[in-house]
């Protein structure tokens, strides 16, 4: 089993920045790609960004390109999402996820483990 715990969410003004962390524990040696997703009230969960096991490859949703940066530190079993120039549309619960695979994907159904989520609220 793998446990994922997000942290770093909160309230920020539009135009501001926020950094999220996702700490993994348990069978983390089997985790390969990881990703960030978000879900706003009344909307489906949507892909934000993904990162390969090594961290050498990343993949972003159009809404995140140029504003968000995904990274990971495997020695600390932690993944990060740095968010800048935040907009009110970025308000959502942010989830980290991990999958046992060698490829990145934006499909949430392809992920095996999920964190409990952390709320990000951007005030306009």
């Amino acid at each position: 089993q793998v446990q994922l715990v997000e942290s770093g969410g909160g309230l920020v003004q539009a135009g501001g920045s926020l950094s999220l962390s996702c700490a993994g524990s348990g069978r983390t040696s089997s985790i390969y790609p990881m990703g960030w997703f978000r879900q706003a009230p009344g909307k489906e969960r949507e892909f934000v960004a993904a990162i390969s096991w090594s961290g050498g490859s990343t993949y972003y949703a159009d809404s995140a390109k140029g504003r968000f940066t995904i990274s990971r530190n495997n020695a600390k079993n932690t993944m990060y999402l740095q968010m800048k120039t935040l907009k009110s549309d970025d308000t959502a619960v942010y989830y980290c996820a991990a999958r046992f695979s060698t490829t990145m994907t934006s499909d949430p159904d392809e992920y095996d483990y999920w964190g409990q989520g952390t709320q990000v609220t951007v005030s306009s």
Side-chain angles (χ1 to χ4, degrees), residues 4-57:
L4 302 174
V5 179
E6 302 95 337
S7 62
L11 175 64
V12 62
Q13 289 187 334
S17 301
L18 205 60
S19 292
L20 306 182
S21 298
C22 173
S25 61
R27 195 182 154 198
T28 55
S29 61
S30 298
I31 294 176
Y32 294 99
M34 297 185 71
W36 286 99
F37 293 79
R38 66 187 184 185
Q39 187 167 19
K43 295 186 177 181
E44 293 186 353
R45 190 169 298 190
E46 66 172 357
F47 169 73
V48 176
I51 189 167
S52 63
W53 163 248
S54 68
S57 296

Side-chain angles (χ1 to χ4, degrees), residues 59-124:
Y59 174 40
Y60 295 92
D62 288 343
S63 59
K65 288 179 182 177
R67 299 189 302 125
F68 294 2
T69 302
I70 189 172
S71 61
R72 67 191 296 169
N73 184 331
N74 289 337
K76 296 183 178 180
N77 291 325
T78 303
M79 178 177 66
Y80 307 95
L81 184 69
Q82 294 180 308
M83 304 182 291
K84 62 180 183 180
T85 320
L86 285 162
K87 309 173 183 178
S88 57
D89 289 347
D90 295 318
T91 295
V93 177
Y94 283 70
Y95 299 90
C96 67
R99 65 192 302 250
F100 298 143
S101 175
T102 58
T103 58
M104 296 184 292
T105 178
S106 60
D107 184 353
D109 292 335
E110 295 295 322
Y111 284 80
D112 300 291
Y113 294 99
W114 292 84
Q116 83 290 349
T118 185
Q119 177 70 47
V120 172
T121 303
V122 183
S123 63
S124 57

